[in-house]
Amino acid sequence: MYHINKIPAMLIAALMCLSLASCKSKTASSEEQKPKSTVKPPVAAQESSSEPEPQPQEQEDHIGQKLRAVYDNFKSDKYSFKCTLLSNENDDKVQIERYKSGSKLYQSQQTDKGKRGFLADGEKVYEFDYLTYSYTDEGKVLPDIIESVVDENLVQSSSHIDAKKGETAEEYTYMGDTFITVYDFYFNEKDDSLVRYTATYSVEGNDDVIESRTVDELTSSVGDESVFEASFVTTLTNFSAFSQADRKTYCSDICTRFGITEQMLVSNGMTSESFRKIGYSDFLGLVYRYSSESGAAKKQ
């Protein structure tokens, strides 16, 4: 949604939901992209064989029982999940809330700057932001790190584990082409409930970025299901409905409000003309990043 891209979403405190799949290279050579024929040449009768074709081997499951149990909660029909996220990249504390009921999923991320998130109501995915009071109905659902680690079936490791007294731990490592990500999950020794988990992003030549999430609540129920109603969009500006000219005007006005200068845009490889075609998540990433540097929003 946001994870925002030195490595997706690690550079903006309000946008902290990594998708492992987005970290993988999708490039391929022209030869690799050429379609291959699926038509087999005719086989002479004497060449036929009664031996059965080899069956594909089942992939080994690397996921530990404790993390698997937490993952099953996320795949259940209903759950409520709350955690507090901190990063060594900045001082922002992020309060994350995530609710699921059937096909509906809601997540919000609250910082001192504002609140943003997404709502999948079974028909559309709304991405919303209360710092700029805007939304788009062309958003994306982001998995939690727990879901990503299990779905990717990451291999267990033990390079970073630092369990406290009364905790047990499981660690998993993702090896990218140019970076390594290590995930450490810590569980209550008595009941195996998830207490906290960290993500350490290592890129050669850069200091490690470490995100730490403390679990505040994980239950198999949802309290007030009005959270899944999209009525909130009536108070927000529809970013996806803008013409290119109106999008440029809107984005320029927001940048002026938050003290984001043309020089800041240029340092990000942009100009105000770039606003004509900028995507919603990219624009919010720009606002959250540079509004931190320029201070509080100017009063209108």
Side-chain angles (χ1 to χ4, degrees):
M1 166 177 143
Y2 313 111
H3 294 30
I4 79 189
N5 263 327
K6 183 180 183 180
I7 296 174
M10 37 179 281
L11 300 181
I12 302 176
L15 314 175
M16 295 292 183
C17 299
L18 284 178
S19 172
L20 294 175
S22 68
C23 296
K24 293 183 177 179
S25 172
K26 299 180 181 178
T27 59
S29 68
S30 58
E31 289 188 1
E32 291 171 333
Q33 294 174 345
K34 290 180 180 179
K36 296 182 179 179
S37 172
T38 58
V39 179
K40 296 182 179 180
V43 179
Q46 63 270 23
E47 296 177 346
S48 64
S49 173
S50 60
E51 294 182 5
E53 293 186 4
Q55 297 298 315
Q57 292 183 349
E58 185 176 346
Q59 185 182 24
E60 180 183 356
D61 185 2
H62 301 297
I63 305 304
Q65 292 183 351
K66 296 180 179 64
L67 185 60
R68 175 70 68 181
V70 177
Y71 174 84
D72 289 343
N73 283 330
F74 278 78
K75 292 302 180 183
S76 63
D77 187 62
K78 285 189 179 184
Y79 70 77
S80 297
F81 176 66
K82 298 179 182 179
C83 70
T84 302
L85 183 149
L86 296 172
S87 170
N88 65 341
E89 280 263 292
N90 51 63
D91 297 326
D92 289 341
K93 179 187 292 186
V94 186
Q95 300 292 343
I96 298 175
E97 297 186 4
R98 190 176 177 101
Y99 304 99
K100 179 187 176 185
S101 180
S103 62
K104 299 178 180 180
L105 182 65
Y106 171 91
Q107 177 171 303
S108 66
Q109 300 172 177
Q110 177 82 49
T111 70
D112 291 339
K113 296 186 183 69
K115 180 180 180 179
R116 61 181 301 187
F118 68 84
L119 165 65
D121 66 356
E123 296 181 2
K124 293 183 177 181
V125 179
Y126 298 90
E127 201 172 331
F128 59 87
D129 173 61
Y130 282 98
L131 180 63
T132 60
Y133 276 86
S134 61
Y135 81 97
T136 178
D137 57 8
E138 300 173 347
K140 295 180 180 179
V141 172
L142 291 179
D144 183 83
I145 282 179
I146 295 166
E147 295 176 283
S148 295
V149 168
V150 176
D151 289 340
E152 289 289 328
N153 193 23
L154 296 188
V155 176
Q156 289 200 47
S157 54
S158 59
S159 59
H160 286 195
I161 289 177
D162 184 22
K164 299 177 181 178
K165 185 177 181 180
E167 293 181 344
T168 59
E170 292 179 5
E171 179 181 288
Y172 302 84
T173 297
Y174 178 80
M175 302 291 293
D177 293 335
T178 58
F179 63 92
I180 298 173
T181 308
V182 179
Y183 303 96
D184 292 287
F185 299 90
Y186 299 94
F187 306 88
N188 186 302
E189 194 172 42
K190 294 182 178 180
D191 60 10
D192 291 340
S193 60
L194 182 63
V195 176
R196 59 190 176 94
Y197 54 110
T198 63
T200 303
Y201 309 103
S202 302
V203 180
E204 187 175 355
N206 294 280
D207 293 334
D208 288 352
V209 175
I210 303 173
E211 295 176 356
S212 177
R213 291 166 172 80
T214 301
V215 177
D216 302 313
E217 178 183 319
L218 178 56
T219 63
S220 58
S221 63
V222 176
D224 185 2
E225 296 213 6
S226 64
V227 71
F228 301 115
E229 297 175 2
S231 56
F232 63 86
V233 301
T234 59
T235 64
L236 305 177
T237 299
N238 187 353
F239 190 89
S240 54
F242 284 135
S243 65
Q244 287 192 7
D246 288 342
R247 183 168 297 193
K248 177 186 175 184
T249 299
Y250 174 81
C251 293
S252 297
D253 288 346
I254 292 292
C255 285
T256 298
R257 175 186 169 195
F258 285 95
I260 301 172
T261 65
E262 188 76 17
Q263 184 178 359
M264 291 178 180
L265 297 180
V266 171
S267 68
N268 199 55
M270 307 172 57
T271 68
S272 58
E273 286 297 313
S274 305
F275 291 150
R276 292 181 177 272
K277 297 183 179 181
I278 195 170
Y280 185 64
S281 293
D282 290 337
F283 178 64
L284 289 186
L286 181 78
V287 171
Y288 274 83
R289 182 163 63 253
Y290 286 112
S291 64
S292 299
E293 297 179 4
S294 58
K298 296 180 179 179
K299 294 182 179 180
Q300 295 180 324

